[in-house]
Amino acid sequence: MEIVIDNPTKARIVNITEENISKLSKALTYINTSISFQLKNHLKNRWWKKKDPITYGEKEEELRVKLKKCLLEHDGSNYCIRPGLIPHISIKSTILNNIQYPDFRPLLWKNKPSFEPYPYQLEAVKKLLEVRHGNISLPTGCGKSYILLLLTKNMGLNTVIVTPSQSIFNELFTEFQEKLGKEMVGGYGDGHKDITKKITIAIGKSLTMLKSDSKTYDFFKNKQAMFIDESHLFAAEQLNNVCHGVLADVPYRAFVSATQTRNDGTEKLLASIIGQNVLNVSLKDAINQGYLCPLKFAIIGTFSPDTREIKDPTKCKRAHFLYNQNIAEMAAKIANASWTMKQESTLVLVEELEQISMLQNLLKVPFAYVHSADKKKAATFGLEKVDLQDSVDRFNNGQVKVLIGTKAIATGTNIFPTFNVINWMGGSSEIVTKQGAMGRSTRKLELSKYKDFHVPKHFSMIYDFRIKGIPMLDKQLEKRVSFYKESGGEIRFF
């Protein structure tokens, strides 16, 4: 069997046997569990079916089409796969790559970083350059943005760096302009629409909205290198639409993330996009080697003021965990005492605006909060619309001692004085737990520009909660604890 790579998103399979067609079809088929959940709820919607059976049926058909996908396709002449899947195929084959790769033209630093890269960062750059289409997995705090910066500088090509969120966009945009120069780096997204620079920092959602007959579309289509930051944070279809849509012809491809996985059954789709993994550093190893801050964990037992038995997992979590006044009071006591007694700052991660509202009157020390809700919705909870970066900056430089944040800052945001992190998000998601409470805790304060505003941080303490008498929440906690164990840190139950 021979695989011929025609372009960055299509590879033909030549001389394939019926047996191998069957093997590949089975290996490359997946079920999107998110769509499965939507379909299940749709089939329960008898009201819609009775009121408008035509649109109900159309929606059902749409979901069934999306439910199950096979990444082995036929273009009318040949069976085809995505080049990113080649490293994941166990069938022996020869590879012919017809992609034309431009030569590198390394750039000069505008402002050279004041520190030298760690050995694993140099290794990551070397391997990604060699493989030309691949990914790395590094824990939060290991300097993935610096790896992207080194790749961009060493290649010197027309490059786009795609981010999943506004906060990550702003951090990369600032860093790249500082290190490589404003004349070299432009932005697209969050109010920026610069398509004149060699290097462009872009928000993924903004790229999916481009019209194919526009000048902007052509600008991105003709890029020579694309780097995707925190690839696992993109919605599966959005990442697919970016990498196999406007950026389909870009030859050099690198994907960096803390967790190259998904929670919705689309791992095979993700693999087809991100290609071969060339470096994977575990959180425990990064901590043991001194690259990240050590973690410790305290699991505090309490009860729910709500005595109802709730079978729905989402409603159960909301009633007994997220809206639990006991947790609110304990979180506030930890935050207040940590500052007044030890001058240690506290980050509180929440899921909903109501949790921020519950904490406001309980905190006795200066605090700030971050959310992504609009002004009108925030006002219903007695909150204001806030500037994300301003709140984070005030926490980092010690102006406020407690920062409360939703998912708006739970991933991809550089937070340093995390002496204490309170996980009031709960659930059992690997991504939410590792990128949230654990990921926000691992950055080393002593290596940051904020170190002089705080006492030394020797480790981060992560607080979580067990709601006694709620078996469903116990199962969710067990999953979170299994993720905590991966850090190698001490876990104590109270």
Side-chain angles (χ1 to χ4, degrees), residues 32-58:
N32 189 322
T33 57
S34 175
I35 299 297
S36 177
F37 179 77
Q38 293 178 47
L39 179 60
K40 183 178 179 180
N41 287 338
H42 178 73
L43 295 176
K44 293 179 180 178
N45 195 332
R46 296 178 181 177
W47 177 85
W48 185 358
K49 184 176 183 179
K50 183 177 181 180
K51 182 180 179 181
D52 191 348
I54 295 178
T55 60
Y56 176 90
E58 291 173 346

Side-chain angles (χ1 to χ4, degrees), residues 221-412:
K221 178 181 173 64
N222 291 315
K223 288 287 188 180
Q224 299 167 304
M226 55 170 280
F227 307 143
I228 309 293
D229 192 21
E230 300 295 5
S231 45
H232 77 283
L233 292 181
F234 286 82
E237 290 303 318
Q238 185 184 98
L239 183 64
N240 183 62
N241 291 342
V242 169
C243 300
H244 289 248
V246 62
L247 303 181
D249 295 329
V250 179
Y252 285 104
R253 298 170 171 244
F255 301 79
V256 302
S257 177
T259 310
Q260 297 285 14
T261 187
R262 304 201 70 88
N263 292 326
D264 58 5
T266 60
E267 291 85 359
K268 292 177 182 178
L269 176 62
L270 178 65
S272 75
I273 299 170
I274 65 177
Q276 180 182 351
N277 179 270
V278 296
L279 183 66
N280 188 0
V281 177
S282 71
L283 175 60
K284 184 176 181 179
D285 286 344
I287 291 174
N288 289 341
Q289 293 171 29
Y291 299 127
L292 296 178
C293 177
L295 305 179
K296 294 184 179 182
F297 305 87
I299 314 298
I300 303 173
T302 187
F303 295 92
S304 171
D306 193 325
T307 59
R308 293 176 295 165
E309 182 179 345
I310 304 174
K311 294 183 179 180
D312 181 271
T314 301
K315 294 179 180 178
C316 177
K317 174 186 168 184
R318 181 174 287 114
H320 297 303
F321 194 88
L322 300 183
Y323 296 168
N324 191 317
Q325 185 64 29
N326 291 336
I327 294 181
E329 292 176 0
M330 285 188 287
K333 286 180 181 179
I334 292 169
N336 290 331
S338 294
W339 176 252
T340 57
M341 299 177 66
K342 298 185 291 184
Q343 286 72 59
E344 293 181 353
S345 301
T346 300
L347 171 66
V348 186
L349 294 176
V350 300
E351 272 207 2
E352 301 189 10
L353 295 179
E354 185 166 328
Q355 294 171 273
I356 303 177
S357 182
M358 292 170 70
L359 281 173
Q360 279 195 107
N361 295 329
L362 297 173
L363 291 170
K364 307 301 181 185
V365 298
F367 69 92
Y369 53 78
V370 174
H371 60 79
S372 57
D374 59 36
K375 185 176 181 180
K376 182 177 181 180
K377 184 176 181 180
T380 63
F381 293 93
L383 306 175
E384 298 177 352
K385 178 65 177 175
V386 294
D387 180 87
L388 183 151
Q389 198 57 52
D390 176 68
S391 295
V392 172
D393 287 344
R394 288 194 293 140
F395 182 67
N396 278 337
N397 65 31
Q399 289 177 273
V400 297
K401 317 307 177 186
V402 178
L403 179 64
I404 313 167
T406 63
K407 288 181 179 178
I409 60 166
T411 57

